Amino acid sequence: MKIILAEKAGFCFGVKRAIETAFKAASKGRGYCLGPLIHNPQEVDRLRREGVETVESLDVLSTGDAVIIRSHGVPPSVLARARDKGLTIIDLTCPFVGKAQRHAALLREEGYQVVVVGEKKHPEVHSILGHAGPDALVVETPEAVAGTQFQQRIGVVAQTTQAYSNFSGVVLKLLELSKELKIFNTICTSTAERQESTQTLAGKVDVMIVVGGRNSANTTRLVSLCREEGKQTYHIETADEIQSDWVKDAGTVGITAGASTPDWIIDDVLRRLQAENTGQ
Ligand code: SF4
C-alpha cells in the first residue's frame, strides 16, 4: 500500500501563529482563551495542560487577566468589553479574517447591505457580522438565496474557509436579484491551497483519510470535497480511530489534514498506516 500525504496539509499560517503565541504566553503565566483556540480538541487539551484555559464568556474573568482572542476574531463589542474590564488582550485574529472584517465595515460605510457567505453558527462569521451593520445577512448556500429578502445594493464577503464553488454559486444567484453588487473574495489562500491539493490527491488514490477536529469547518469541508470526488473517505481526529478494514484492499491511501490539525497528530497517523503496511 502506497501512502501519500497531500502537498498542503495541516497548520496554516494563522493557526501556527496563534498556537506559537499562545504557548509563549502560557510560559509567562496563566492565560484564558475566549472559546477553544483552534478547532482541534487534542491540541486545546495540550494547551490547557500548559496553563491556557478555555472560557466561554468574559464574565468569568477579572481585571488584569490575560485573554486570548483566537484566529476567528470577535465582534468589536467584545473587544470593547474586554478593554472596559481591564483585561490584558492578546489579539490573535488571523490577518486574513481581519481583512474580511475590514471589507465588511467598508461595504457597510458605502451603504451596501452586507452578505456574508458562510456558516451562520461559525465564530468567524459572527466576528465579521459584528463589523457589517444591523441589516447584514449570512447566506450559507446558493439555494438559500431564493428564500431571503435582500436590498438592491449588496456587498459580499466570504468566510475565509469557504469552498470557492459555494461562494461563486451564491454570488451568481445574488447577481440575478440585485441592482448593484460589490464583491470581495475573502477566501484565504491557505484554505484554497488545502482544498486544491486535497482534490488533486483524492483524484489519484483509492481511499482518503482526512485528519482533524470534527468541529473544524475547514476539515469537514475537505471531507466533503473528497466525497464529491467519489472517493471512499474517512474523517478521524486521531490515529487510534484507524481501522485495518479501511485500507486492507487499497493500493494507494491519501492523507490530508485541516488547517487546525497539528503535525504531531498527522505524524501519528502516518506511523499507524505504515504499521498497517508492515503488519505490525
Ligand atoms: S485558514 Fe486562513 S484565515 Fe483561517 S486562520 Fe488559517 S490562514 Fe487564517
Side-chain angles (χ1 to χ4, degrees):
M1 171 176 75
K2 195 170 165 193
I3 302 159
I4 308 175
L5 179 64
E7 207 179 307
K8 301 278 180 186
F11 276 0
C12 60
F13 148 78
V15 167
K16 193 162 186 275
R17 169 178 169 267
I19 287 286
E20 285 173 1
T21 314
F23 274 108
K24 218 178 279 170
S27 71
K28 292 182 188 150
R30 197 166 186 72
Y32 299 91
C33 188
L34 189 56
L37 183 68
I38 58 170
H39 287 150
N40 187 278
Q42 292 74 26
E43 190 71 345
V44 169
D45 212 39
R46 202 164 74 94
L47 205 52
R48 185 182 50 75
R49 290 196 297 271
E50 294 294 318
V52 177
E53 284 284 342
T54 300
V55 293
E56 294 305 331
S57 158
L58 295 179
D59 292 344
V60 295
L61 303 184
S62 316
T63 306
D65 283 343
V67 64
I68 293 172
I69 305 298
R70 56 191 174 169
S71 55
H72 304 314
V74 289
S77 56
V78 175
L79 272 184
R81 181 135 184 274
R83 267 186 231 111
D84 289 348
K85 275 183 82 99
L87 305 178
T88 303
I89 300 169
I90 304 169
D91 188 354
L92 301 182
T93 305
C94 176
F96 292 114
V97 175
K99 196 163 143 197
Q101 293 173 338
R102 283 195 303 283
H103 283 319
L106 184 71
L107 289 167
R108 173 196 188 175
E109 277 161 36
E110 290 177 349
Y112 292 93
Q113 179 186 30
V114 178
V115 170
V116 183
V117 183
E119 290 150 273
K120 287 186 176 149
K121 292 192 177 154
H122 197 281
E124 180 195 314
V125 171
H126 190 59
S127 88
I128 298 170
L129 272 183
H131 293 76
D135 55 359
L137 291 173
V138 182
V139 174
E140 296 198 338
T141 61
E143 294 71 38
V145 172
T148 314
Q149 284 282 24
F150 297 95
Q151 295 170 16
Q152 297 207 322
R153 298 179 71 228
I154 303 173
V156 191
V157 296
Q159 180 182 353
T160 55
T161 48
Q162 275 290 291
Y164 180 77
S165 56
N166 192 60
F167 181 59
S168 58
V170 171
V171 166
L172 280 178
K173 291 281 178 197
L174 290 173
L175 195 56
E176 292 167 13
L177 298 175
S178 63
K179 287 266 182 277
E180 190 183 333
L181 190 63
K182 187 163 178 176
I183 305 152
F184 286 111
N185 178 358
T186 49
I187 297 174
C188 100
T189 43
S190 300
T191 302
E193 280 170 1
R194 272 153 192 72
Q195 290 174 356
E196 277 163 27
S197 76
T198 294
Q199 263 174 321
T200 306
L201 182 56
K204 292 185 196 159
V205 299
D206 301 314
V207 171
M208 280 297 292
I209 296 182
V210 183
V211 192
R214 292 197 170 79
N215 56 349
S216 154
N218 74 82
T219 305
T220 51
R221 190 102 56 227
L222 297 182
V223 174
S224 307
L225 285 172
C226 295
R227 290 189 177 143
E228 281 164 26
E229 287 290 319
K231 213 50 56 158
Q232 181 67 48
T233 304
Y234 300 98
H235 180 179
I236 58 170
E237 286 192 349
T238 64
D240 291 343
E241 294 170 55
I242 295 171
Q243 294 176 23
S244 306
D245 275 4
W246 297 351
V247 293
K248 73 174 187 332
D249 297 324
T252 321
V253 177
I255 310 293
T256 190
S260 46
T261 309
D263 283 350
W264 61 269
I265 293 184
I266 300 173
D267 290 344
D268 271 359
V269 169
L270 291 171
R271 266 195 300 272
R272 178 64 60 94
L273 284 170
Q274 295 292 3
E276 290 289 337
N277 231 357
T278 51
Q280 286 172 351

